[in-house]
Amino acid sequence: MTDKVRDQDKTHFGYKDVKPDEKEKMVAGVFHSVADSYDVMNDLMSMGVHRLWKRFTIELSAVRKGHQVLDIAGGTGDLTKQFSRLVGDTGRVVLADINESMLRVGRDRLIDQGIVGNVEYVQANAECLPFPENTFDCITIAFGLRNVTDKAEALRSMCRVLKPGGRLLVLEFSKTNNPLLTKVYDTYSFSLLPAMGKLVAGDSESYRYLAESIRKHPDQKTLEAMMKEAGFVNTTYHNMTGGIVALHKGIKP
């Protein structure tokens, strides 16, 4: 067996090499574990800054009344809530997540906040989205792409279901080129983050995986190239918080 074939038989779960069909189950286990404490941990982990990152994503989406929006890996519904208000009664927002626990928490949270009528909930794998071609005006995936087994296939799937002229926004942890910031960030990620996970969610290993998954995610230039390969044009990215997070944009021609 060649090295190329062996590589195709493996993917990464954090720093571990696993079979592709095993990764989906392992990632599911992580998010089943953290679903109920996800919002609290997001605020603690980012010191609330994740709200500013998401606000910029909403601003760059150009979503307006009547639009069809797909929020992939929508989790507890932060983006879906804002999109629901923007698209109005004539639009539609689909909150999609592969994880049943995250989808349940997001649905319950939005219903409790009175977000009903123009929001749908779909359990779906980003690699094979169950929607017709040319359906959505905008697709977002926030802090979810790094958990996808086949990222290239997921990007192609997103391009397929976007309308021509529609835009994809990928908000994800990325790479900083500042050595001092990198050192501080690494210490925080591998020491403080698992400790917080243990204290708040009773689960340090899931948050250790999340830190490792960030390090294994493609950097800004690599992800931009992957988006172009998937069929997107006019690709750009915006670094935030020193490059710890980047917002990528691509347009379907």
Side-chain angles (χ1 to χ4, degrees), residues 67-80:
H67 272 183
Q68 306 282 313
V69 179
L70 175 61
D71 182 15
I72 300 174
T76 53
D78 284 348
L79 293 179
T80 292

Side-chain angles (χ1 to χ4, degrees), residues 6 10 12 49 53 127 246:
R6 278 195 296 269
K10 293 288 186 181
H12 57 80
V49 179
W53 300 331
E127 297 173 26

Side-chain angles (χ1 to χ4, degrees), residues 28-251:
V30 168
F31 285 95
H32 283 310
S33 174
V34 304
D36 290 330
S37 58
Y38 190 76
D39 283 338
V40 174
M41 281 298 297
N42 271 353
D43 280 328
L44 287 174
M45 286 188 301
S46 70
M47 292 173 284
V49 179
H50 74 99
R51 299 178 185 277
L52 299 179
W53 300 331
K54 291 172 181 174
R55 183 184 302 171
F56 184 54
T57 303
I58 296 290
E59 292 173 356
L60 208 63
S61 73
V63 167
R64 58 184 184 272
K65 283 190 177 298
H67 272 183
Q68 306 282 313
V69 179
L70 175 61
D71 182 15
I72 300 174
T76 53
D78 284 348
L79 293 179
T80 292
K81 178 180 178 179
Q82 300 303 319
F83 285 135
S84 173
R85 293 170 174 166
L86 289 172
V87 304
D89 294 339
T90 58
R92 176 178 67 137
V93 184
V94 178
L95 193 164
D97 203 296
I98 194 173
N99 187 274
E100 181 182 2
S101 296
M102 293 296 293
L103 196 63
R104 170 184 51 79
V105 170
R107 181 187 63 239
D108 292 349
R109 178 188 180 200
L110 293 179
I111 291 174
D112 287 346
Q113 294 177 0
I115 309 297
V116 295
N118 62 359
V119 177
E120 300 174 12
Y121 303 90
V122 176
Q123 188 172 358
N125 187 332
E127 297 173 26
C128 48
L129 293 167
F131 308 105
E133 294 181 9
N134 308 323
T135 296
F136 296 100
D137 298 283
C138 180
I139 295 176
T140 57
I141 179 167
F143 306 114
L145 187 61
R146 72 181 187 279
N147 297 308
V148 175
T149 302
D150 191 335
K151 297 174 181 60
E153 186 62 32
L155 291 170
R156 287 191 291 270
S157 184
M158 295 175 208
C159 192
R160 179 185 67 80
V161 302
L162 269 175
K163 296 177 182 178
R167 62 182 60 190
L168 168 67
L169 297 172
V170 180
L171 179 65
E172 189 55 88
F173 291 106
S174 200
K175 304 293 190 296
T176 174
N177 290 323
N178 183 314
L180 179 59
L181 183 57
T182 298
K183 184 176 181 179
V184 172
Y185 186 42
D186 282 348
T187 300
Y188 167 78
S189 298
F190 292 104
S191 298
L192 295 180
L193 182 55
M196 279 195 294
K198 179 67 173 177
L199 181 64
V200 176
D203 184 349
S204 62
E205 286 306 308
S206 289
Y207 284 95
R208 190 176 305 280
Y209 156 72
L210 293 177
E212 292 176 357
S213 70
I214 292 168
R215 301 315 188 277
K216 298 293 287 186
H217 186 67
D219 63 18
Q220 291 90 326
K221 290 292 186 182
T222 303
L223 181 53
E224 183 178 25
M226 291 173 68
M227 291 175 67
K228 290 178 179 178
E229 182 67 23
F232 291 97
V233 299
N234 299 333
T235 56
T236 60
Y237 64 86
H238 301 266
N239 284 329
M240 293 179 280
T241 317
I244 288 175
V245 166
L247 177 61
H248 286 256
K249 182 183 76 171
I251 306 296

Side-chain angles (χ1 to χ4, degrees), residues 5 35 253:
V5 172

